[in-house]
Amino acid sequence: QVTVRGLISVERPDRFRLRELGPGNITLFDILKVGGDVKVIQGVPGVDSALQGKVLLSIGADLSAAYDLEPALPSRNKTVGFKEGEVRVTETERTIRLQQYKEARGQAIPTHIEIQNTALNYNVTIDVAEADLDVKLDPMLFRMQ
């Protein structure tokens, strides 16, 4: 189990940028998704790059499903579990549970996200410490380099 802090910027309909931070706010890895392309901008130094790339690209696909970004895989299915208080997104290789909704600018946003990736056999839990909606983002943030 590894705990990291990160920043994610999402712009609908089809893009996000994820930066995971380590001690001293050093970037551990940086993933960018625009349209159907997911790219590892920076990986963790000293880690097997082939395996790391595979895992980071998979995490990119997980987040695309979690935030319901385009293009959606044909297998994507969203269900609302009223009893459980969650939205569940399933695809062939993953199940994402969005839970613990709080209000931000009049909209409900999940503050706890659980990702179960069956293809690579890992689980990720995201706890949102702070969120804002409808913030103008710099277009350079999503530029494929």
Side-chain angles (χ1 to χ4, degrees), residues 45-75:
V47 176
D48 177 353
S49 62
L51 176 60
Q52 177 179 209
K54 185 175 181 177
V55 171
L56 293 178
L57 291 175
S58 185
I59 289 172
D62 296 337
L63 291 172
S64 293
Y67 290 102
D68 201 22
L69 298 178
E70 297 175 0
L73 292 178
S75 65

Side-chain angles (χ1 to χ4, degrees), residues 9-141:
S9 300
V10 178
E11 186 175 78
R12 292 195 185 276
D14 66 350
R15 55 195 66 206
F16 75 79
R17 180 108 184 226
L18 171 67
R19 288 188 182 150
E20 290 299 322
L21 306 172
N25 290 332
I26 295 171
T27 299
L28 296 177
F29 62 85
D30 188 357
I31 305 171
L32 174 64
K33 178 207 182 291
V34 176
D37 297 324
V38 179
K39 182 177 181 182
V40 177
I41 303 296
Q42 177 181 336
V44 182
V47 176
D48 177 353
S49 62
L51 176 60
Q52 177 179 209
K54 185 175 181 177
V55 171
L56 293 178
L57 291 175
S58 185
I59 289 172
D62 296 337
L63 291 172
S64 293
Y67 290 102
D68 201 22
L69 298 178
E70 297 175 0
L73 292 178
S75 65
R76 186 175 298 167
N77 182 33
K78 269 174 63 171
T79 56
V80 177
F82 291 107
K83 185 176 181 183
E84 301 86 3
E86 70 180 22
V87 171
R88 192 168 26 262
V89 179
T90 56
E91 290 183 350
T92 303
E93 299 181 342
R94 62 193 49 87
T95 299
I96 296 109
R97 290 178 172 79
L98 302 114
Q99 304 167 329
Q100 298 177 16
Y101 283 81
K102 297 198 174 152
E103 184 181 332
R105 295 192 186 221
Q107 294 185 39
I109 60 165
T111 60
H112 183 79
I113 302 169
E114 295 178 358
I115 299 170
Q116 179 185 19
N117 186 298
T118 54
L120 295 180
N121 195 28
Y122 64 79
N123 296 312
V124 173
T125 299
I126 300 169
D127 287 310
V128 178
E130 187 178 330
D132 203 351
L133 296 173
D134 300 325
V135 175
K136 180 75 173 147
L137 298 172
D138 183 345
M140 295 300 289
L141 184 67

